[in-house]
Amino acid sequence: MGSRWGPQGRAGRRRMPFLLLLSLFCPALSEPIRYTIPEELARGSLVGNLAKDLGLSVPDLPTRNLRVSTEKKFFTVNTENGDLLVSDRIDREQICGKKSTCVLEFEMVAEKPLNFFHITVVIQDVNDNPPTFSRNITELEISELTLTGATFALESAQDSDVGLNSLQHYYLSPDPHFSLIQKENLDGSRYPELVVKAPLDREEQSCHHLVLTAVDGGEPARSCTTQIRVVVADANDNPPVFAQDMYRVSVQENLPVGSSVLRVMATDLDEGINAEITYAFINIGKEVRQLFKLDSKTGELTTGGGLDFEERESYTIGVEAKDGGHHTAHCKIQIDILDENDNAPEITLDSESKHIQEDAELGTVVALIKTHDRDSGLNGETLCQLHGNFPFKIVQDTKNTYKLVTDGALDREQTPEYNITITATDRGKPPLSSKRSVTFNVADVNDNAPVFFQASYMVPVAENNPPGASIAQVSASDPDLGPNGHVSYSIVASDLEPRALSSYVSVSAQSGVVFAQRAFDHEQLRAFELTLQARDQGSPALSANVSLRVLVGDRNDNAPRVLYPTLGPDGSALFDTVPRAAQPGYLVTKVVAVDADSGHNAWLSYHVLQASEPGLFSLGLRTGEVRTARALGDRDCARQRLLVAVRDGGQPPLSATATLHLIFADSLQEALPDFSDRAEPSDPQAELQFYLVVALALISVLFLLAVILAVALSLRRSSSSTRWSCFQTSAVCSKTAPEVFPNYCEGTLPYSYNLCAASHSSKTEFKFLNINPEHAPPQDLLCNEASWFESTSNDNPKMTSESVNLQQI
């Protein structure tokens, strides 16, 4: 099991209560959780209880969805107990190579709330690799003149392990002529050198067989051996000499293959073949041999492969110079790789959902961002940014982790989707960057009330409309989605009676069409107003109101009504008297009519259909006033009859007729005897029909019937003059009581004429009175004989006939 915080585990456990309290107030722990485990642990091995170390409750683990946020996952989390387990083979040599410390860093992501937890796992080396020599047999040629104490470099063994598990010691099999010393390179690696401890004599022994053993420091220790065959060569008394024992050079990574790194040079004082020097690598591994090439003649070192600072920062190479004899010299080349900004940052995103509520509060965490740059120094420092105008911002959490949070109000109706590009840029020269795009959809909330297309509606509807007909349509829009944008309509208020509202109009909840439930009557209802409401289906629902005013238009559906002249209460005909001396233009009477319609439909005109004496009277076209057109002649009859038609201005026009009886007399007593003997006048309509029949007969019988017609007409004219003598004495009082209805307020003005006469009066007088409406008595003023008879000083009873002109109310 791995240990948390390594050597500081006990101190870390003392700080756990504080960390648990801190986690309640901080979005993420700034200090990573640290574990230490050996490499090559079996899958499923326990690393540590992550839930306990993070201060998370075990029952909350399924809802927190604790998981590892990395592409290469060596670890996994048991969601039942919070244990961090090994999920893949961990080979320290494969992951970290020759690095002295191997650390795996990754982040754990928890949801609800979304948060980062930084985890560090130190991988300890185990002794799973033995030292190895590249060759089983090494042949070494040494001159017999070699002095005691001379050293010869031997091939070093390679061990992939590090630390104590790496190669620690070399051992040489016992030999009286040779011994072994062990030296270290600058990077800490060890290599052996063979020391001549006794003079060599080729003639005595030309070949020596030695065994070199390399042993690491693991428990248990691992080792390997190689055979060393020492051939004693003939004398060559001047060995080669390098100009430097150590060559040091720095080269840029990504150097092109074949580029020259440096040149080593050795000299030999000998001449001829003994001075010919060849160069070769010594004590280097196979990997280094592939990366570098050494010219055996010139000593020039060139690159044979690509150099990568991120894989290895430096190389130590051994070079041997050998002359034509058997003398050698050795030097070391230290090659330091300089980092270049050749790795763009990598971006990793982690988010709970791709949908954001449009009413999300400022600072809501939308996604977690992690950046990683394999370069070092400034080349590996990154800056994460957003490009564009978005209601989001990036907040740095730790060195390489960030949070994408909301920084403004979201409105789905304006922007339903955000395609965000996140850019990570390092600080190298030139800087490198990488981009990662993510799309977030804004989820709708009911934040928009319906809006009517018009501020108010006014609809004209002609009266007598068919019930159930559509009279108007209101429409509202709601930019929200789904139920939040589905609008229904209703009537919420009206100036009609609440009980009568449903019998007048209704509205379709889906379409907003307003239907008339009955036929409207302009004379009863000129206009009415409705308040319509558009309501969406959101929660809570939003609504808007609009007013709809319905104007009921008039149609010519009411004929004019004649208020004067009318028949008396007993059915007797009324008459008007005209002074015999009346001059032309004298106002005789006035035909009064009203029309319940309005406008042109109530614009009345008056026409004479039939007159006893044409040209004697004139009729006002618009006023209905009957005036004398000329003075009464001696040959004119004292009794006159006018048939008047009243027409309205509608299309088609409607009309009514009225008959006026006029008597030329200077007093009422003079007119009464003649009128009482007069027979009841015939019906004007029947006379017209009779004339029509006679006219048709005249056409058929031509001249004969024309003569007969002339005789008949002369007889008819003489008989009509005698009919005016019929007057009923019982018609003492004539009363016309006009009724003024509210629906006549826009029609013609009603008038009332009253005629009173007494049989014993020798004189009749007419008086025109103007009565103010507020002083008018509620009962009829006329036909009240007690109020209208006056006594005179000459004891002659006098009856006053008054004509009263009533003003419109």
Side-chain angles (χ1 to χ4, degrees):
M1 179 187 298
S3 60
R4 182 176 180 268
W5 301 96
Q8 300 177 353
R10 184 174 304 171
R13 284 190 293 272
R14 290 196 298 269
R15 295 167 59 190
M16 273 303 297
F18 172 74
L19 293 177
L20 290 175
L21 180 61
L22 184 61
S23 66
L24 297 176
F25 303 97
C26 298
L29 292 173
S30 60
E31 189 174 8
I33 304 297
R34 188 180 183 93
Y35 297 101
T36 302
I37 62 171
E39 66 174 332
E40 301 294 347
L41 278 180
R43 290 180 174 85
S45 299
L46 177 64
V47 178
N49 190 281
L50 193 61
K52 177 180 178 182
D53 296 336
L54 294 177
L56 301 178
S57 175
V58 174
D60 295 338
L61 291 179
T63 59
R64 295 299 302 273
N65 192 17
L66 191 64
R67 62 186 185 276
V68 178
S69 175
T70 180
E71 296 182 0
K72 181 63 176 176
K73 296 184 179 180
F74 293 100
F75 305 96
T76 186
V77 178
N78 189 329
T79 58
E80 295 180 358
N81 51 24
D83 288 340
L84 183 64
L85 306 176
V86 176
S87 63
D88 199 358
R89 177 175 178 263
I90 301 176
D91 187 354
R92 184 195 179 283
E93 290 73 26
Q94 183 179 0
I95 297 173
C96 299
K98 299 292 289 182
K99 292 182 180 179
S100 60
T101 302
C102 184
V103 178
L104 289 178
E105 296 181 347
F106 58 94
E107 281 73 37
M108 301 298 298
V109 178
E111 298 178 357
K112 298 179 181 178
L114 189 64
N115 208 345
F116 266 135
F117 298 98
H118 308 283
I119 310 299
T120 299
V121 178
V122 179
I123 308 301
Q124 293 180 338
D125 185 50
V126 297
N127 192 22
D128 57 342
N129 294 284
T132 58
F133 289 98
S134 61
R135 291 178 291 182
N136 294 327
I137 299 176
T138 302
E139 186 170 304
L140 185 63
E141 187 173 314
I142 301 177
S143 174
E144 62 180 349
L145 297 180
T146 302
L147 300 176
T148 303
T151 60
F152 299 89
L154 300 177
E155 180 188 13
S156 60
Q158 302 296 321
D159 194 340
S160 300
D161 296 324
V162 296
L164 293 177
N165 296 325
S166 64
L167 191 149
Q168 299 293 325
H169 302 287
Y170 291 93
Y171 298 98
L172 187 68
S173 60
D175 189 276
H177 298 89
F178 302 95
S179 63
L180 188 70
I181 61 174
Q182 185 173 276
K183 292 185 177 181
E184 287 187 3
N185 291 314
L186 294 178
D187 59 0
S189 60
R190 296 176 173 83
Y191 64 93
E193 288 188 351
L194 186 66
V195 180
V196 178
K197 69 178 183 179
L200 301 176
D201 188 354
R202 191 188 66 82
E203 288 73 24
E204 181 180 337
Q205 186 177 357
S206 61
C207 185
H208 300 267
H209 295 277
L210 305 174
V211 176
L212 179 62
T213 303
V215 182
D216 62 20
E219 289 294 335
R222 291 174 176 262
S223 63
C224 66
T225 60
T226 184
Q227 300 291 326
I228 300 177
R229 183 173 179 268
V230 180
V231 177
V232 180
D234 199 10
N236 183 8
D237 54 354
N238 288 297
V241 178
F242 279 101
Q244 297 176 228
D245 290 337
M246 173 65 72
Y247 291 86
R248 196 180 191 105
V249 66
S250 298
V251 295
Q252 296 287 338
E253 64 173 330
N254 300 322
L255 203 64
V257 176
S259 299
S260 175
V261 178
L262 58 75
R263 177 179 290 184
V264 296
M265 182 176 289
T267 59
D268 194 324
L269 298 178
D270 293 327
E271 293 182 354
I273 192 173
N274 291 327
E276 293 181 0
I277 300 174
T278 58
Y279 302 93
F281 286 130
I282 188 172
N283 297 329
I284 63 172
K286 181 179 179 181
E287 178 186 359
V288 179
R289 288 181 183 273
Q290 294 176 349
L291 291 176
F292 299 98
K293 302 297 180 182
L294 182 64
D295 192 309
S296 61
K297 298 298 184 182
T298 62
E300 184 177 11
L301 183 68
T302 58
T303 58
L307 304 179
D308 192 349
F309 174 84
E310 287 71 37
E311 292 184 2
R312 190 165 178 177
E313 300 177 6
S314 65
Y315 297 90
T316 301
I317 302 175
V319 177
E320 179 184 72
K322 186 176 182 180
D323 60 17
H326 304 287
H327 287 264
T328 59
H330 303 88
C331 71
K332 297 293 181 181
I333 301 175
Q334 178 70 28
I335 303 174
D336 296 323
I337 309 300
L338 301 180
D339 183 39
E340 285 187 353
N341 191 25
D342 58 342
N343 292 282
E346 299 175 358
I347 302 175
T348 303
L349 284 177
D350 206 328
S351 62
E352 276 191 31
S353 174
K354 299 298 182 182
H355 296 275
I356 312 171
Q357 293 291 331
E358 65 174 325
D359 59 350
E361 297 180 357
L362 294 180
T364 300
V365 178
V366 176
L368 302 177
I369 307 170
K370 178 185 176 183
T371 61
H372 175 65
D373 196 320
R374 296 180 60 196
D375 295 322
S376 61
L378 293 178
N379 296 333
E381 295 182 7
T382 60
L383 177 64
C384 201
Q385 294 177 319
L386 281 180
H387 291 286
N389 187 16
F390 298 106
F392 301 96
K393 67 177 180 179
I394 293 179
V395 178
Q396 188 168 9
D397 185 30
T398 60
K399 180 180 179 181
N400 293 320
T401 58
Y402 304 83
K403 292 181 179 180
L404 181 65
V405 300
T406 56
D407 190 37
L410 304 178
D411 190 350
R412 188 206 62 80
E413 289 70 38
Q414 292 185 358
T415 309
E417 180 182 274
Y418 290 95
N419 188 8
I420 300 174
T421 300
I422 301 170
T423 303
T425 307
D426 59 28
R427 298 180 62 185
K429 293 184 178 180
L432 297 179
S433 62
S434 60
K435 297 181 179 180
R436 180 75 179 270
S437 296
V438 60
T439 300
F440 292 104
N441 296 313
V442 181
D444 184 54
V445 296
N446 192 25
D447 58 344
N448 290 280
V451 177
F452 283 96
F453 292 146
Q454 295 179 218
S456 62
Y457 294 83
M458 183 174 291
V459 179
V461 180
E463 65 175 333
N464 302 324
N465 56 288
S470 170
I471 61 173
Q473 182 176 13
V474 296
S475 183
S477 63
D478 193 322
D480 292 324
L481 288 179
N484 296 334
H486 181 70
V487 178
S488 61
Y489 303 90
S490 61
I491 301 175
V492 296
S494 173
D495 56 2
L496 298 173
E497 289 293 332
R499 295 182 180 179
L501 175 61
S502 60
S503 65
Y504 274 87
V505 290
S506 65
V507 64
S508 172
Q510 288 73 30
S511 63
V513 176
V514 180
F515 297 95
Q517 299 298 314
R518 63 189 297 177
F520 299 146
D521 189 352
H522 174 80
E523 288 71 40
Q524 293 183 1
L525 183 65
R526 300 295 179 89
F528 61 92
E529 188 167 321
L530 305 174
T531 300
L532 300 173
Q533 183 179 83
R535 185 182 185 89
D536 60 28
Q537 307 301 316
S539 180
L542 301 178
S543 62
N545 294 343
V546 72
S547 64
L548 170 65
R549 183 168 181 80
V550 180
L551 303 178
V552 181
D554 183 48
R555 285 184 176 177
N556 192 24
D557 58 345
N558 291 280
R561 180 185 175 198
V562 178
L563 300 181
Y564 183 84
T566 59
L567 295 177
D570 56 356
S572 60
L574 300 181
F575 66 92
D576 290 289
T577 61
V578 183
R580 292 181 181 275
Q583 298 299 317
Y586 176 80
L587 177 61
V588 177
T589 185
K590 184 174 183 178
V591 179
V592 180
V594 294
D595 195 316
D597 295 320
S598 61
H600 282 282
N601 296 331
W603 194 0
L604 302 181
S605 62
Y606 300 86
H607 309 273
V608 176
L609 293 181
Q610 186 180 14
S612 300
E613 190 67 37
L616 182 59
F617 298 98
S618 65
L619 179 64
L621 178 64
R622 296 300 177 187
T623 62
E625 293 179 348
V626 180
R627 296 179 181 270
T628 56
R630 59 179 175 81
L632 180 68
D634 296 336
R635 301 181 61 182
D636 293 327
C637 182
R639 292 174 293 276
Q640 297 290 328
R641 174 177 172 272
L642 291 179
L643 180 61
V644 178
V646 184
R647 297 192 186 97
D648 59 23
Q651 290 296 330
L654 301 178
S655 63
T657 59
T659 302
L660 296 176
H661 298 282
L662 306 176
I663 298 178
F664 283 90
D666 292 330
S667 65
L668 183 60
Q669 289 77 3
E670 181 182 352
L672 285 178
D674 294 336
F675 195 78
S676 61
D677 297 334
R678 184 179 63 90
E680 193 68 25
S682 60
D683 185 8
Q685 188 67 27
E687 291 181 3
L688 290 176
Q689 292 177 356
F690 174 75
Y691 293 150
L692 180 59
V693 173
V694 173
L696 292 176
L698 287 175
I699 295 174
S700 61
V701 297
L702 300 175
F703 178 75
L704 180 60
L705 293 180
V707 174
I708 298 173
L709 178 61
V711 175
L713 287 176
S714 61
L715 294 176
R716 171 68 72 178
R717 188 175 297 112
S718 62
S719 62
S720 60
S721 61
T722 60
R723 286 179 188 171
W724 291 98
S725 61
C726 181
F727 180 77
Q728 296 179 6
T729 58
S730 61
V732 177
C733 180
S734 172
K735 179 179 75 169
T736 301
E739 295 179 354
V740 182
F741 298 98
N743 54 359
Y744 296 155
C745 62
E746 293 183 6
T748 56
L749 297 177
Y751 295 89
S752 177
Y753 290 88
N754 295 277
L755 176 63
C756 290
S759 60
H760 57 274
S761 176
S762 60
K763 196 181 221 182
T764 301
E765 294 183 4
F766 292 87
K767 294 182 180 180
F768 296 91
L769 301 180
N770 292 326
I771 302 177
N772 293 329
E774 62 269 15
H775 300 299
Q779 70 273 15
D780 295 335
L781 295 177
L782 302 182
C783 298
N784 190 345
E785 297 183 7
S787 63
W788 291 98
F789 284 95
E790 297 179 359
S791 59
T792 60
S793 60
N794 55 4
D795 296 329
N796 291 326
K798 182 179 178 181
M799 176 182 178
T800 303
S801 173
E802 297 179 356
S803 175
V804 181
N805 183 14
L806 298 180
Q807 304 297 322
Q808 181 181 11
I809 299 176

